Each structure stands twice: as C-alpha cells, then as structure tokens.
Amino acid sequence: MKIWVPADAAARACGADEVAAAISAAAEQRGVTVELIRNGTRGMVWLEPLVEVETPEGRRAFGPMTPEDVPALFDSPDSHPKAQGLTEEIPFFKRQTRLTFARCGKIDPLSLMDYEAEGGLAGLRAAIARTPAEVVEEIVASGLRGRGGAGFPTGIKWRTVLGAKAAQKYIVCNADEGDSGSFADRMLMEGDPFCLIEGMAIAGLATGATQGYVYIRSEYPDAIRVMRAAVEAATHAGVLGADVLGSGRAFRVEIRVGAGAYVCGEETSLLNSLEGKRGVVRAKPPLPALEGFMGRPTVVNNVLSLAAVPWIMAHGGAAYNAIGINRSRGTIPLQIAGNVKHGGLFETGFGITLGEIVTEIAGGTASGRPVKAVQVGGPLGAYHPVSDFDLPFCYEEFAGQGGLVGHAGMIIHDEGADMLALARFAMEFCAIESCGKCTPCRIGAVRGVETLDRVAAGDPTALPLIEDLCNTMKLGSLCALGGFTPYPVLSAIRHFPEEFTPMREAAE
Amino acid sequence: MFDSARLAQILHAHEGVEGPLLPILHDVQESFGHIPEAALDPIAEALRLSRAEVVGVVGFYHDFRKTPAGAHVVKLCRAEACQSMGGTALQARLEAALGQKMGETKNGVTLEAVYCLGLCACAPAALVDDRLIGRLDAARVDAIAKEVRA
Ligand SMILES: Cc1cc2nc3c(=O)[nH]c(=O)nc-3n(C[C@H](O)[C@H](O)[C@H](O)COP(=O)(O)O)c2cc1C
Ligand code: SF4
Ligand code: FES
C-alpha cells in the first residue's frame, strides 16, 4: 500500500508529521506494509494535511486529516468522512494549468529517479544539445518575464549576461520570498527542488556562468534543508559539477541563507548580502547583469522564473508563449491567502480575472463574511476593492489600476478589516525594513506611521500630509520598498475614504 | 559559552568561500546562541575587515542577536495574511498570557515578531522554537504559552 503525506512546511504546520506517525503506527498494528512517501504539497492548503492513497483508479485524497482520522483510512476508506475523491479530480486542482508545478506534490522531492520519470532533465538535455545563444533565444521567444516582482523579460537579461565578457559569471537565484501572502517559492523548493536546480543549470549553460547561488530566507528552514540535500544528490548524480550530464561543461550550486531582512529580496541588496555586506540597495547602473556578484556578470532571477525554464526548454518557447494575454505570457502560480475558504497555490495562464480567483476558485472568505479588499503583490501591492474584480490578472492591467502583480500573492480580507490599521502597517513595515539609504523611505515611513496615528485620532489636517508624503516617497526612493509602500496606503484611502475621515469615531 | 577553538574551526571551515561573512555569522550564532563580543575581532581579522564593518553587518540583520535568546523562542507572524485571520487579537492574547510584549525576553522566553513564514494560506502562523504552527486560534495560543512557560 502506497501512501503520501506531505512534508511541506504548511502541511507540517497543520499536523502532517503527527498524521504520518499515526499512519505508520496503524499500519504496524494491522500488519499492513505501507510505503510512506513524504511528498511536497499539491497546493490545496485548506485540505492539509492531505493524505493520498494509491488505488487502481489513481491517487485518492483525504483531508484535512488528523491522527484520529487515520484508523478509518485502513478500516473503511470508502466511507471516510475526510474523503475528497481522486486528487486530480478536485475542481481546484483540475482547473489549473500546471507547468512549473506539474510535479510538486506528485513525486518524492528528493528522488532523482521520480524526477526524471515525470519529465525532469529533458529541458537540460535539450539545452545541452544547443548553443548558448539558441537557448537564450528560446527563453526570449517564450515571453517569460521575471516572477520576482519587476516582470523584466528573463531572456533579455540572459542575453546581456551571455554577451558580457568575463572569466567568471554567476547565476543567483532569489529565494528570499519576503512578500507576505507568498509561498510559491517555498512550495517549489520543498516539493520539486530538482526543477529549480535544472533551471539554474540551464541558465548557467546559456550564459556561460559556472557557479550558482540560491539565497534562501532564514524563515524557511525546511526549504533550506531540502535544497541542500537536492544539491548534494544532483552533484552526486552528475547533474551538477564539473561535467553537467556529460556535456563537458561545469555548473555548481551552493545554498546560502539570508538573515531576516526583507530588503535583501531586492536584487542589489541581495548581492551585497551574498558578498557578506550590509544589505543596502545599490544604485543602478551598473546592472547586475554586467556588474553583479563580486562585480562580475550575474543573472539574478526569482525561483519561479528559473523553475519555468525546464518546461520551456523541453516543450519550446512557442508553447509557453501560446498561453496568456497581452505581454503577460505563460502561466502564473497564484498564491491565494489570508481570510479565504480555499487557500493555496493555483497555477494558471495569465488573464483570469481577480473575481474568478477570489469568488469561484477560492470560494470567498473563510469567515463567510463578504470580501472587503484583496491585497495583490505583497506588502507593496495595492488594496483592491470588489469593484476591481473584473480586472484580468496580468502585468499590464494591474499596473493600469495603480497596482502590481508582484510575486502573485494575494491576501483576502473580509469586511472586518480595518483599512486604516492596514495602511499604518504598510508604513510601519517600511520603517522597520528600510535599508536606510534614502531619506524619503527611512524617515518618511516613520512620519507616515505618526501621521496615520493623527488621522486615527481625528486630526483633519493629517490626511493631506499623507498624500504629500506618499508623493515624496514615490519620487525620492531608490528602490520599490520606499517607492511602492505608498500603493497600499493610497489605495486604502482611495477606496475606503470613510475610514480615514475625522468622522470615523463618531460614525462607529 | 564562547569558545575560541570552536570559532577558529568555523573560520577555518569557511576559507575559500566567496562572501563568507553571513555563513560564518550563522554558524557562530548556531554554536553560541548569539554573536559574542569576543568573536568580532577574530572574525574581522580572518576576513581582513575592520571590527566596525563586522559590527555594521551584525547590526543590519534582524536574525543576529547581540545577547542570547531565552530557552524558548516564539516568533509570531504579524504580516497581512495573518492579520486578516485575527492575528492582531491573538498577539494581544499571547502577550497577556506570557506577561511580555513582542521583542522582549522574560522568564526564559523570547517573544518576537516575524513578517511572514510562508504559511499565509493556513494563517495565523507562528514558529515555536523549531516547530511551525498554522491555523492558530485562542486555544492554540494558550497551549503555546503553557508549553513555553513550563
Ligand atoms: C524591497 C524589494 C523586495 C524584493 N523581494 C524579492 C523577493 O523576495 N524575491 C524576488 O525574487 N524578488 C524580489 N524583489 C525583486 C528583485 O529586486 C528582482 O527584480 C528579481 O529578483 C529579479 O528576478 P526576476 O526577473 O526573475 O523576477 C524585490 C524587490 C524589492 C524592491
Ligand atoms: S527606498 Fe528604502 S529600502 Fe529602498 S534603497 Fe531607499 S532606503 Fe533603501
Ligand atoms: S503573512 Fe503570516 S505566514 Fe505569511
């Protein structure tokens, strides 16, 4: 009997280890031989711990499981109260277009054999068979844009690094995933680490870089452990090392750990941190592509950008480009979080509307109360009211509404949300995490907190000051931490003005 | 406790590493529970940096401690997804149960804010020592308080 219990951090945080232990104990008690696999998550987090049992029809899902639910798994699975039917028939799962996350939750994350059996390494083999310039042009043709937040075309970045002449170049994977509401990088690293490693190796072959670093935030101990083990296994198997899959070309990967600074997700701050310095943002130019890690040409890409690459190389840039709308091509792994009934990871082509995601796919709020606002794109993203629900999910449309796609995390708030408190939090977070280089960010955010406190106290002169302050931050900040913190603040004020008026207390 | 032989080992293990300072500081904190004063000069010397540079780096990152943490460390997520699920009220409840505010160490317990643990689809979330906990509610918060005060 084959049973899967995710070892993903979210599943473990909901009790997966206890469920796994109960399964082993129950099997032993009954004298049943169980092959227990600790997989990644299928991304249906509201069902975690989601246990799967192999049957002739396919894998059957049970969740959310508790240790008390385990005996019935053996004794009466057909009438099990937590039975969800076949995993891949669950509507949330079935509606997706899973390219990057095709294997996540399906395989044993650290089995290279499983990985290859499910299509892994085909992209790397295709890349080895072609010239670096051909690989770069395939990525350009795919239309893939950076999934870390800025949306810069990945192929164009690689072209710059390929063209740069240097004795040593680097691939740096940005796995700092600091945005609240985001967890796709974590899920991929925990559930399909070889996919990221393969993407990095392809990037290395395409640009002439022989050394890769993955910079993982320290808040992700599980991801760090899995990635370290995967790098070791890949090196042992010759996927990484002096002679990548017998190509005669070298590529090595090392895992590095952040130290609890949100701003280190910004690429130049990350490079400083990797070099062992304070994570202060660098002015651009020079671009990291030309003068990055140790002053040498460096590709800095998000986990999801690099993890999309193996599929593109295996199936062709045109196939990826055929999905999506406008200049937002391919799939986007949405992360649905917060006060939501069906939260988790949902990979789909660009173009789905915000309302479809929140209402149909996620089933509205967990509390059952009406949705008030959805923050899209992390702590620097705007609050969208329900009137924005017809917005198609893509870079262009969100930018047009004063918002951003960012890392495609979205946090749903019900009508109990206090928008003034959330606006204040945006400023507070910026003040805590500012790298300190520019005054509008470092001082402005502190002023923002104070001024919003005055708004809350009913001072009618405070609100215009917030607007001025936000303009100063937008114009005078070197990076998006100071430059975009105004977006959640101003969108909250614009869409929920009644919560920012001096009448606030009288009205309550 | 600080042990210069252990520090020498850590420094030796990072020879030839590109950008070794953060990995060294992580290992030092792992070994000693914080970054001891006495470690600053040897680190600076080994990396050919000034002491001030090392101090600057230690001070920049939230993770590095200048004094040891309590026997238990509770990190409660304060970010938006956790707020949307009642995290702010749970924070107040935990602070009251422990008799300490976020950022304080008292009775062997360190209580700290963290900004996202990547558990935003099973919020609110906390990290208690090495254990992640999702779907926090009043009962779970009370259980955490009881466990770490025991
Ligand atoms: C304050 C700040 C935080 C950021 N955090 C992240 C992050 O956690 N992960 C990430 O991939 N990109 C982050 N970025 C974006 C990076 O600067 C950069 O655009 C990205 O790593 C490039 O990779 P991509 O082109 O593959 O997206 C952040 C940017 C800013 C300004
Ligand atoms: S905007 Fe803020 S975080 Fe960004 S460089 Fe300026 S001070 Fe640093
Ligand atoms: S916002 Fe709390 S875990 Fe992400």
Side-chain angles (χ1 to χ4, degrees), chain A residues 263 281 430 433-438 441-442 477-483:
Chain A
V263 73
V281 173
C430 180
E433 298 297 337
S434 170
C435 85
K437 188 154 179 164
C438 10
C441 169
R442 188 182 70 241
S477 296
L478 185 57
C479 87
L481 183 47

Side-chain angles (χ1 to χ4, degrees), chain B residues 103-121:
Chain B
E104 289 180 354
T105 297
K106 237 179 171 176
N107 306 317
V109 178
T110 298
L111 177 62
E112 286 176 343
V114 61
Y115 297 92
C116 196
L117 292 163
L119 305 176
C120 332

Side-chain angles (χ1 to χ4, degrees), chain A residues 179-183 337 411, chain B residues 77-83 114-126:
Chain A
D179 286 0
S180 50
S182 297
F183 44 80
I411 298 174
Chain B
C77 177
R78 284 202 51 215
E80 291 91 337
C82 290
Q83 289 182 38
V114 61
Y115 297 92
C116 196
L117 292 163
L119 305 176
C120 332
C122 52

